[in-house]
């Protein structure tokens, strides 16, 4: 079919043979074999230039469509293998929607018009389950899975801040030490949600001679901002969330010691693909400079508390 289409479009056996890199007798044999299989003459060889028979015209149109379709499939397979096309199911914790991550996901999707992107927002626990059950391809988390089969790459780290109700006595200070929190009601995340982050905050409290006393609240860091706004205590949040402007809360630097938390992109190593690899590489490449600039901006905003 490809040889026949080439002959028709070149309108010459000699030119078609040259373009295809075969001898003219071999090309003529191929056309004759095709006509025998079809059972009809496709070309009128008695005229110059060549002319298609009525059957040949119909056969050419259908052949052209089939060849174009096959080339389209080949192109799609090639794009999929290279991570340029296909589908990607990404889950992330809601708190990460307030940092540089949304812009990074957008630039990835914009660079791949044929990408079918499915984005969902869930708690860390739910995202881990969905990743394990192959309901997600990639998850963006503050806590990397520590079980076998999972792979992860650190995206960036950022400092924890304290979030305080504007009526609190510490709201007028520029920064807060862990020692200042000894007698306060502290709202913390459950340890199973992000063990390393939870433990880092507990250790910092223990260094000042106390254990966190207050509410252990499930959900995202965003929900903790709401609990602080309701006057239920003081909480710790990633610096990126400080862009949330709520009238009755203040964000403060947390010092002595400064505690940082990492964000990770996670996937199942046995289900890796070119698309997942492309997404991970894109995130790592894009988030580095953006997160640094973003953190600097947050620090300057926090100094102007309350927000």
């Amino acid at each position: 079919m490809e040889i026949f289409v080439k002959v028709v479009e070149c309108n010459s056996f000699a030119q078609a043979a040259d373009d295809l890199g075969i001898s003219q007798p071999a090309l003529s044999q191929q056309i004759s074999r095709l006509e025998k299989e079809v059972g009809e003459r496709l070309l009128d060889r008695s005229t110059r230039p060549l002319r298609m028979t009525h059957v040949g015209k119909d056969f050419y149109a259908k052949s052209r469509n089939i060849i174009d379709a096959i080339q389209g499939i080949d192109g799609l397979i090639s794009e999929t293998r290279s991570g340029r096309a296909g589908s990607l199911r990404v889950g992330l914790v809601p708190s990460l929607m307030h940092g540089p991550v949304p812009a990074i996901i957008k630039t990835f999707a914009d660079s791949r018009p044929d990408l079918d992107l499915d984005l969902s927002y869930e708690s860390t626990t739910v995202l881990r389950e969905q990743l394990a059950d192959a309901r997600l391809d990639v998850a963006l988390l503050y806590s990397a899975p520590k079980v076998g089969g999972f792979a992860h790459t650190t995206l960036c780290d950022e400092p924890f801040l304290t979030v305080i109700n504007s009526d609190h006595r510490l709201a007028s200070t520029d920064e807060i030490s862990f020692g200042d929190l000894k007698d306060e009601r502290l709202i913390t995340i459950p340890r199973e949600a992000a063990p390393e982050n939870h433990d880092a905050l507990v250790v910092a409290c223990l260094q000042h001679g106390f254990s966190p006393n207050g509410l252990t609240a499930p959900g995202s860091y965003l929900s903790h901002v709401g609990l602080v706004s309701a006057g239920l205590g003081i909480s710790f949040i990633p610096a990126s969330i400080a862009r949330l402007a709520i009238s009755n809360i203040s964000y403060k630097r947390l010092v002595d010691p400064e505690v940082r938390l990492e964000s990770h992109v996670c996937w199942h190593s046995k289900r890796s693909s070119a698309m997942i690899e492309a997404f991970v590489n894109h995130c790592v490449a894009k988030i580095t400079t953006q997160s640094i600039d973003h953190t600097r901006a947050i620090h300057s905003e926090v100094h102007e508390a309350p927000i």
Side-chain angles (χ1 to χ4, degrees), residues 187-224:
I187 303 170
T188 57
I189 60 173
R191 187 178 187 279
E192 60 269 18
E196 57 270 43
N197 299 334
H198 177 276
D199 292 350
L201 293 169
V202 170
V203 168
C205 292
L206 291 174
Q207 289 175 355
H208 286 270
F210 71 99
S211 296
N213 180 29
L215 177 65
T216 299
S220 72
Y221 290 112
L222 293 173
S223 63
H224 287 200

Side-chain angles (χ1 to χ4, degrees), residues 117-168:
L117 178 64
D118 182 16
L119 200 60
S120 61
Y121 321 97
E122 297 288 351
S123 69
T124 299
T125 301
V126 171
L127 291 177
R128 283 174 175 166
E129 292 174 353
Q130 292 179 342
L131 202 58
D133 296 342
R135 286 176 286 165
L136 285 178
D137 300 309
V138 180
L140 297 170
L141 307 168
Y142 284 119
S143 178
K146 302 299 183 182
V147 295
F150 286 98
H152 69 91
T153 295
T154 300
L155 295 179
C156 66
D157 68 356
E158 58 183 319
F160 269 113
L161 304 178
T162 51
V163 53
I164 301 177
N165 192 288
S166 298
D167 293 333
H168 194 279

Side-chain angles (χ1 to χ4, degrees), residues 234-253:
I234 295 174
S235 191
F236 308 99
I237 62 163
S240 53
I241 298 180
R243 39 170 84 197
L244 284 176
I246 299 177
S247 60
N248 67 332
I249 63 171
S250 299
Y251 303 101
K252 304 295 180 181
R253 289 190 184 89

Side-chain angles (χ1 to χ4, degrees), residues 4-30:
F4 172 73
V5 167
K6 175 61 73 172
V7 170
V8 171
E9 293 178 351
C10 289
N11 201 23
S12 164
F13 275 81
Q15 184 61 53
D18 186 59
D19 288 354
L20 293 170
I22 61 176
S23 68
Q24 187 170 334
L27 183 145
S28 297
Q29 290 173 9
Q30 292 279 9

Side-chain angles (χ1 to χ4, degrees), residues 48-277:
R48 293 292 183 272
L50 289 173
R51 290 182 183 176
M52 289 181 285
T53 64
H54 290 297
V55 174
K57 290 178 180 179
D58 289 340
F59 190 81
Y60 168 78
K62 290 180 172 60
S63 296
R64 180 75 270 176
N65 290 337
I66 291 170
I67 291 170
D68 289 343
I70 291 173
Q71 290 174 343
I73 293 171
D74 288 342
L76 178 61
I77 292 172
S78 177
E79 289 283 285
T80 301
R81 286 174 176 167
S82 66
R84 300 293 306 173
S87 63
L88 187 68
R89 299 164 299 172
V90 179
L92 66 159
V93 290
S95 306
L96 283 172
M97 289 301 292
H98 294 271
V101 169
I104 291 167
I105 293 176
K106 182 179 185 300
T107 57
F108 183 79
D110 288 348
S111 68
R112 290 162 170 77
D114 295 324
L115 171 65
D116 181 12
L117 178 64
D118 182 16
L119 200 60
S120 61
Y121 321 97
E122 297 288 351
S123 69
T124 299
T125 301
V126 171
L127 291 177
R128 283 174 175 166
E129 292 174 353
Q130 292 179 342
L131 202 58
D133 296 342
R135 286 176 286 165
L136 285 178
D137 300 309
V138 180
L140 297 170
L141 307 168
Y142 284 119
S143 178
K146 302 299 183 182
V147 295
F150 286 98
H152 69 91
T153 295
T154 300
L155 295 179
C156 66
D157 68 356
E158 58 183 319
F160 269 113
L161 304 178
T162 51
V163 53
I164 301 177
N165 192 288
S166 298
D167 293 333
H168 194 279
R169 63 180 179 83
L170 293 173
S172 60
T173 62
D174 289 335
E175 60 184 30
I176 292 177
S177 163
F178 275 90
D180 298 327
L181 302 175
K182 184 173 183 178
D183 299 318
E184 300 295 336
R185 296 167 58 197
L186 301 180
I187 303 170
T188 57
I189 60 173
R191 187 178 187 279
E192 60 269 18
E196 57 270 43
N197 299 334
H198 177 276
D199 292 350
L201 293 169
V202 170
V203 168
C205 292
L206 291 174
Q207 289 175 355
H208 286 270
F210 71 99
S211 296
N213 180 29
L215 177 65
T216 299
S220 72
Y221 290 112
L222 293 173
S223 63
H224 287 200
V225 176
L227 295 173
V228 172
S229 178
L232 298 180
I234 295 174
S235 191
F236 308 99
I237 62 163
S240 53
I241 298 180
R243 39 170 84 197
L244 284 176
I246 299 177
S247 60
N248 67 332
I249 63 171
S250 299
Y251 303 101
K252 304 295 180 181
R253 289 190 184 89
L254 188 59
V255 297
D256 191 24
E258 180 185 67
V259 179
R260 304 183 71 86
L261 77 163
E262 294 181 340
S263 55
H264 306 267
V265 55
C266 311
W267 66 99
H268 201 287
S269 57
K270 292 184 178 180
R271 295 194 295 268
S272 187
S273 66
M275 182 65 76
I276 292 174
E277 182 178 345

